[in-house]
Amino acid sequence: MQSAPSVPFDGKAFVRTLPSSPGVYRYFDAAGELLYVGKAGNLKKRVGSYFLKPRMEPRIAAMIAQIARCEITVTRTEGEALLLESQLIKSLKPRYNIMLRDDKSYPYIYLSGGEDFPRLAFHRGARNLPGRFFGPYPSAFAVRESLNLMQKLFKVRQCEDSYFRNRSRPCLQYQIGRCTAPCVGLIDVETYREDVRHAEMFLEGRSSAVIDELAAAMDAASARLDFERAAALRDQVAALRKLQAEHHVHGASADMDVIACRIEADQACVSVLFFRNGISLGTRDFFPRLPLDATPADLLAQFVAQFYLERPVPRELVLGAPIAEAELLAQMLAEQSGHAVAIKTRVRGERAQFLQLAERNAQAALTSRLASRQTLGARFADLARVLELEEPPRRIECFDISHTRGEATVASCVVFGPEGPEKSHYRRFNIAGITPGDDYAAMHQALTRRFRKVAEGEGARPDLLLIDGGSGQVAQALDVLRELGVDGVRVVGVAKGPGRRAGEETLVLADAGRELHPGSASPALHLVAAVRDEAHRFAIGGHRRRREKARTQSVLEEVPGIGARRRAALLKAFGGLAGVEAAGVEELSRIKGIDRGLAERIYAALHG
């Protein structure tokens, strides 16, 4: 940490050293913390505007009073400066910038490639699998809703490959008319590929072309007196026409996002309506971190720059307010995406209606969030009252343990703040080296690993530490904090009530040696129970994944003659442990490197 400078930062003298080139500037305080990142077409003029004006807005004046150092990066063009500014804001999170808090990767519909019978699936993450990806979609719900429609319309399989390869008879999806059972040969490859082609056309937005092809096929089937086939095609065409009428955006020939924002009580909401190929993909709301005195134009400009920095950009953006340097931003997005991007604020007709819808969504979402924040604030205040704290806690951590009869023990740590869960700070700890089922030892190990970093000066220190358990688990927490020399952390145990009924939990106060029973009507207990339940959910999820991974590996590892290569070959050939378990000795012995004797040993190990 840098020491405070002996003299105040001389902004006027610094400005005289700056070039008149485009670039990015960064302001730091005396402790070296980044205050603000900005871009400029002319660094001398832009930075000089902070120090040469006689009067500034309150937010700007408060920031300038803290500046101890300024750094610049010269760029070739103003567009490069805009791109670098957005990258630095996302990665460095300056205090006085508008900051989009959206760390989730967006979901896609995935159509597998290189197979006779491809499948459609939900996908999130790197798009490095063979096949095609359609999207991104605004939410997992939008993807699953689309996949549900695709099952009804085109009957392309969506099952996992391991499930598909091990079927001996059609599954329920075939029975209810949502799959053509390629797993057992009830449809030939060419006919299935035609269904896949139509599904691709539909996902590309060419639903009218699909309808035309199916209508022609219906007429041909009717002409050859295949009335059953003609009736099936008629129903498919009717379903597509109905869907097209419900979801098609007339006049939106290009991909389009409609973006509106609302600001109220120092909180902001940005609502985005997504349209691709004339099809509505739904909406998504964002709640950026907002500095004081930010305007809707400021918010929209920063949102667009940050949101589309690493995402596909539509050809048209409709914004709820005019933004500065819209042409420059459109040029940067066009260079990034490889196609022209239009930014519009004055729209008529249906686009104006969509913009009004986005504005209503933003207002409704912001109103709901403010109400929820008030409720959460009341719960934090009541918790401070119940625990006799001087002020509501700013950071609550809760630990829980999960295992199955001592197997694959996992501890979880979840974090809550005044605005709710802080999921980027969640942690899981795989517990090892203890007696299976010893929850006290597991808790001691997890807390030691967590608070050792605090003792070393790393990581945030919680104001309140919740432990899922009674006095025994609380004692483990106190022992760890004493051993590591960590003080200033209030420890409270959350013990289940009689009959494990919700609302009857007991709060075990470590420092006072008392027990509290706030009751089911207590806002404080509602908050504690919510944090405890989240820790429980997070621990169970980690435990289940660790258990399944251990079982997948350990059973085969225990078979003599099975090394890493043969184990990988088995799991790959049968699509996982479930497929290996379903295979007989003859099927196992067909795998390269597996003779009949080894196959018999594998079968015996898997079937007890």
Side-chain angles (χ1 to χ4, degrees):
M1 182 177 294
Q2 300 179 4
S3 59
S6 56
V7 294
F9 178 70
D10 190 344
K12 294 181 180 180
F14 179 76
V15 167
R16 288 195 290 270
T17 68
L18 294 178
S20 299
S21 308
V24 172
Y25 56 93
R26 299 177 294 280
Y27 294 143
F28 297 84
D29 66 11
E33 180 182 353
L34 182 61
L35 298 172
Y36 185 79
V37 172
K39 68 100 185 132
N42 184 316
L43 282 169
K44 181 183 284 289
K45 287 185 178 180
R46 183 70 185 100
V47 176
S49 68
Y50 287 94
F51 301 101
L52 303 179
K53 286 186 178 180
R55 301 182 66 178
M56 305 292 293
E57 298 176 4
R59 174 177 66 94
I60 304 300
M63 180 186 71
I64 291 175
Q66 301 177 58
I67 295 174
R69 188 174 88 253
C70 179
E71 295 180 355
I72 65 165
T73 300
V74 176
T75 59
R76 292 178 299 177
T77 66
E78 192 174 356
E80 284 186 3
L82 181 60
L83 181 61
L84 179 59
E85 176 197 36
S86 300
Q87 291 172 334
L88 291 175
I89 291 173
K90 289 198 71 171
S91 61
L92 302 178
K93 300 177 175 58
R95 186 194 308 170
Y96 284 95
N97 282 98
I98 294 171
M99 180 65 202
L100 174 61
R101 293 177 287 194
D102 178 47
D103 298 327
K104 294 182 179 177
S105 61
Y106 277 66
Y108 288 77
I109 288 179
Y110 169 59
L111 177 64
S112 62
E115 300 175 297
D116 289 336
F117 300 105
R119 73 185 184 103
L120 287 168
F122 177 99
H123 180 84
R124 193 193 294 272
R127 300 189 298 279
N128 53 10
L129 299 174
R132 293 191 64 186
F133 295 88
F134 300 90
Y137 285 76
S139 66
F141 173 79
V143 173
R144 294 192 173 98
E145 185 180 21
S146 298
L147 287 173
N148 185 43
L149 289 171
M150 299 297 288
Q151 269 191 321
K152 296 177 181 178
L153 293 171
F154 304 107
K155 302 181 182 181
V156 176
R157 76 177 181 93
Q158 296 184 16
C159 57
E160 295 285 346
D161 290 339
S162 57
Y163 186 82
F164 174 77
R165 286 195 291 263
N166 290 284
R167 296 298 302 174
S168 59
R169 59 181 181 177
C171 69
L172 180 62
Q173 294 301 317
Y174 172 78
Q175 303 295 337
I176 63 176
R178 293 193 173 195
C179 184
T180 49
C183 54
V184 292
L186 296 188
I187 185 173
D188 61 83
V189 173
E190 292 304 319
T191 305
Y192 186 86
R193 284 182 176 171
E194 191 70 4
D195 291 338
V196 170
R197 187 175 68 84
H198 285 149
E200 284 189 89
M201 292 171 64
F202 180 81
L203 290 170
E204 290 169 351
R206 296 189 288 152
S207 55
S208 296
V210 177
I211 290 173
D212 292 342
E213 287 192 15
L214 293 176
M218 177 182 67
D219 293 340
S222 179
R224 63 176 183 268
L225 306 182
D226 187 356
F227 298 116
E228 185 177 352
R229 174 63 175 163
L233 289 168
R234 178 202 62 200
D235 294 342
Q236 192 175 10
V237 168
L240 278 166
R241 288 193 188 281
K242 181 181 178 182
L243 182 68
Q244 191 179 53
E246 292 175 350
H247 291 271
H248 193 73
V249 181
H250 301 289
S253 58
D255 295 348
M256 176 176 71
D257 287 352
V258 181
I259 310 172
C261 72
R262 282 290 183 269
I263 299 175
E264 186 177 330
D266 298 331
Q267 289 284 298
C269 176
V270 177
S271 187
V272 185
L273 275 64
F274 299 86
F275 300 101
R276 296 294 181 270
N277 299 303
I279 301 285
S280 171
L281 299 185
T283 183
R284 185 162 182 173
D285 300 319
F286 303 86
F287 301 91
R289 189 190 70 191
L290 192 67
L292 296 174
D293 302 329
T295 67
D298 296 334
L299 179 57
L300 287 172
Q302 286 290 334
F303 177 86
V304 170
Q306 294 180 42
F307 184 72
Y308 295 104
L309 181 64
E310 299 172 349
R311 294 184 179 88
V313 186
R315 295 183 179 275
E316 187 176 331
L317 297 176
V318 178
L319 306 185
I323 62 174
E325 301 175 326
E327 292 184 4
L328 177 63
L329 185 56
Q331 180 184 348
M332 183 197 76
L333 295 175
E335 292 175 357
Q336 176 184 326
S337 61
H339 60 72
V341 176
I343 297 179
K344 301 178 180 179
T345 55
R346 296 181 179 180
V347 290
R348 295 180 295 178
E350 288 192 330
R351 282 168 172 75
Q353 295 177 11
F354 296 141
L355 188 55
Q356 290 175 2
L357 178 60
E359 289 171 346
R360 288 199 299 269
N361 285 342
Q363 184 61 60
L366 182 57
T367 301
S368 175
R369 186 176 180 88
L370 288 172
S372 175
R373 188 182 183 190
Q374 290 172 356
T375 301
L376 191 61
R379 290 180 174 181
F380 268 81
D382 192 53
L383 182 61
R385 180 189 63 80
V386 169
L387 299 181
E388 299 177 357
L389 304 176
E390 293 183 0
E391 59 182 5
R394 301 292 301 174
R395 180 184 176 97
I396 300 175
E397 294 188 11
C398 183
F399 281 74
D400 190 22
I401 305 294
S402 181
H403 58 80
T404 301
R405 297 186 181 89
E407 177 189 5
T409 302
V410 170
S412 70
C413 171
V414 302
V415 181
F416 272 59
E419 296 189 357
E422 300 180 4
K423 295 191 175 182
S424 62
H425 295 167
Y426 284 18
R427 295 291 181 269
R428 288 193 183 103
F429 304 90
N430 290 333
I431 304 301
I434 66 169
T435 302
D438 187 345
D439 287 356
Y440 290 165
M443 183 65 73
H444 194 282
Q445 183 179 131
L447 290 167
T448 299
R449 290 163 63 182
R450 163 66 182 99
F451 284 97
R452 182 177 292 122
K453 293 185 178 295
V454 175
E456 294 171 352
E458 301 177 10
R461 182 191 307 259
D463 304 307
L464 177 62
L465 175 61
L466 299 179
I467 304 295
D468 185 27
S471 57
Q473 291 286 32
V474 169
Q476 295 298 322
L478 294 175
D479 287 345
V480 168
L481 296 177
R482 278 194 294 265
E483 289 170 4
L484 297 175
V486 176
D487 53 17
V489 178
R490 185 75 174 270
V491 181
V492 175
V494 187
K496 297 178 178 62
R500 306 173 70 89
R501 288 191 295 269
E504 298 185 4
E505 291 88 351
T506 298
L507 302 185
V508 181
L509 306 186
D511 52 353
R514 294 185 292 123
E515 293 185 354
L516 300 178
H517 304 274
S520 59
S522 168
L525 189 59
H526 294 166
L527 174 60
V528 168
V531 178
R532 187 271 318 275
D533 291 345
E534 176 69 353
H536 188 58
R537 179 200 65 80
F538 195 56
I540 287 177
H543 159 63
R544 286 174 176 167
R545 280 191 287 273
R546 187 183 182 196
R547 182 184 63 191
E548 293 305 316
K549 182 179 179 182
R551 289 179 177 177
T552 299
Q553 296 177 345
S554 62
V555 175
L556 293 177
E557 286 175 352
E558 293 171 359
V559 180
I562 294 291
R565 186 171 298 176
R566 285 176 176 167
R567 185 170 64 252
L570 282 168
L571 295 173
K572 181 178 180 181
F574 294 102
L577 186 61
V580 179
E581 290 176 338
V585 173
E586 293 296 333
E587 294 173 289
L588 293 169
S589 61
R590 295 194 190 105
I591 304 302
K592 184 178 180 180
I594 308 292
D595 58 27
R596 185 172 183 83
L598 182 54
E600 290 175 349
R601 292 199 299 274
I602 295 170
Y603 187 87
L606 293 174
H607 296 84

